[in-house]
Amino acid sequence: MPFHPVHPEKLSSAVVRQIELLILRGILHPGERLPPERELSEKLGVSRPSLREAVAELQSRGLLASRAGSGIYVADVLGSTFSPALVRLFAAHEEAVFDYVSFRRDLEGMTAERAARYASDTDLEVIATAYERMVAAHHKVDTALEAETDADFHMAIIESCHNVVMQHMMRSMYDLLREGVFYNRAQMFRQTTSREDILAQHAAINSALQARDSAGAKAAVEAHMDYIETALRAQARADRNEAIARQRIEHEKAR
């Protein structure tokens, strides 16, 4: 018979499982410092030797890392899905940019729908705070901060969807998301695209999430991404027309 005696779980093993789950669920982020040993052992209700044993095991698995004179940190287990060179290549080619926007539309619509259903009250507070930071940056007309808070707002939604695969995948793509937000804004604001329109779209997303309106949140995200795609396509057409006009002028001068 495939049965074995049940033994009480070692305290260090229980600590390992708890920290693993915190990393898996995105509560502990890559690069985040763990509390000092004494404080953490008290929080966990275990002895310091048991805690040290657990930390050593997690370090051997590559989940925690020690920094001399600084403490224990969550290891950078995510890395980056795309190299910086590939991110720059994406931004430089129209086809990749529109594929990226389409990808964000589909995935972020789904994550917003999930966030409206499964986000905790604390999650929704984090989203609301991210939106308020975006509003403050908007009123300061600080475009760099506005773009940064834009990315943070979208990431707050992704982190509230309570799907660990989505969370970790999108976190690993954070550089691409951030670069995409900067690129999109820089391109769109070369034309008549309204910053107020963008802010209003984020307000609609936030309102739907705070109301736990899953269909409304999904629709608001999709409408926002559709707006971005339309604006980028309009700018791309304008750029092409401008290039053609310059070529004609140069041709006439050469004659």
Side-chain angles (χ1 to χ4, degrees), residues 24 41 56 65 76 98 104 106 125 131 204 215 223:
L24 176 65
S41 65
D76 186 10
F98 291 124
R104 280 190 58 190
D106 293 344
E125 288 175 11
Y131 170 70

Side-chain angles (χ1 to χ4, degrees), residues 207-250:
S207 294
L209 289 167
Q210 301 303 326
R212 295 191 179 277
D213 176 3
S214 57
K218 182 174 186 287
V221 167
E222 290 175 346
H224 171 56
M225 299 310 298
D226 286 343
Y227 180 92
I228 289 174
E229 180 176 355
T230 298
L232 288 174
R233 289 191 183 280
Q235 186 59 53
R237 286 194 298 271
D239 287 345
R240 284 194 294 270
N241 290 338
E242 183 180 343
I244 291 170
R246 283 199 304 268
Q247 288 175 353
R248 286 175 178 169
I249 291 171
E250 290 171 2

Side-chain angles (χ1 to χ4, degrees), residues 94-242:
E94 188 175 296
E95 178 183 354
V97 170
F98 291 124
D99 282 349
Y100 168 61
V101 172
S102 176
F103 173 82
R104 280 190 58 190
R105 181 189 188 278
D106 293 344
L107 189 64
E108 292 188 41
M110 183 166 50
T111 54
E113 184 178 35
R114 285 186 57 87
R117 291 177 181 170
Y118 303 119
S120 66
D121 291 342
T122 300
D123 291 331
L124 293 180
E125 288 175 11
V126 170
I127 292 169
T129 299
Y131 170 70
E132 288 163 8
R133 289 184 61 238
M134 196 190 318
V135 172
H138 177 86
H139 291 319
K140 289 179 183 177
V141 197
D142 185 335
T143 54
L145 181 59
E146 202 170 358
E148 179 184 333
T149 56
D150 186 326
D152 289 343
F153 175 75
H154 285 278
M155 284 304 303
I157 296 170
I158 290 163
E159 292 181 353
S160 299
C161 75
H162 291 277
N163 181 300
V164 295
V165 175
M166 286 183 182
Q167 288 173 306
H168 285 278
M169 181 177 68
M170 289 305 292
R171 273 200 194 139
S172 72
M173 294 178 63
Y174 185 77
D175 286 343
L176 185 60
L177 171 60
R178 184 179 57 199
E179 292 294 334
V181 170
F182 274 96
Y183 177 82
N184 291 349
R185 282 179 173 271
Q187 288 292 92
M188 289 188 298
F189 295 153
R190 289 169 55 201
Q191 52 180 336
T192 58
T193 304
S194 170
R195 290 171 58 248
E196 283 69 28
D197 286 347
I198 297 290
L199 187 64
Q201 290 159 21
H202 286 101
I205 295 168
N206 182 56
S207 294
L209 289 167
Q210 301 303 326
R212 295 191 179 277
D213 176 3
S214 57
K218 182 174 186 287
V221 167
E222 290 175 346
H224 171 56
M225 299 310 298
D226 286 343
Y227 180 92
I228 289 174
E229 180 176 355
T230 298
L232 288 174
R233 289 191 183 280
Q235 186 59 53
R237 286 194 298 271
D239 287 345
R240 284 194 294 270
N241 290 338
E242 183 180 343

Side-chain angles (χ1 to χ4, degrees), residues 42-57:
E42 290 174 356
K43 286 178 179 292
L44 293 168
V46 300
S47 68
R48 294 169 77 172
S50 292
L51 176 59
R52 289 182 196 130
E53 185 178 347
V55 167
E57 182 174 345

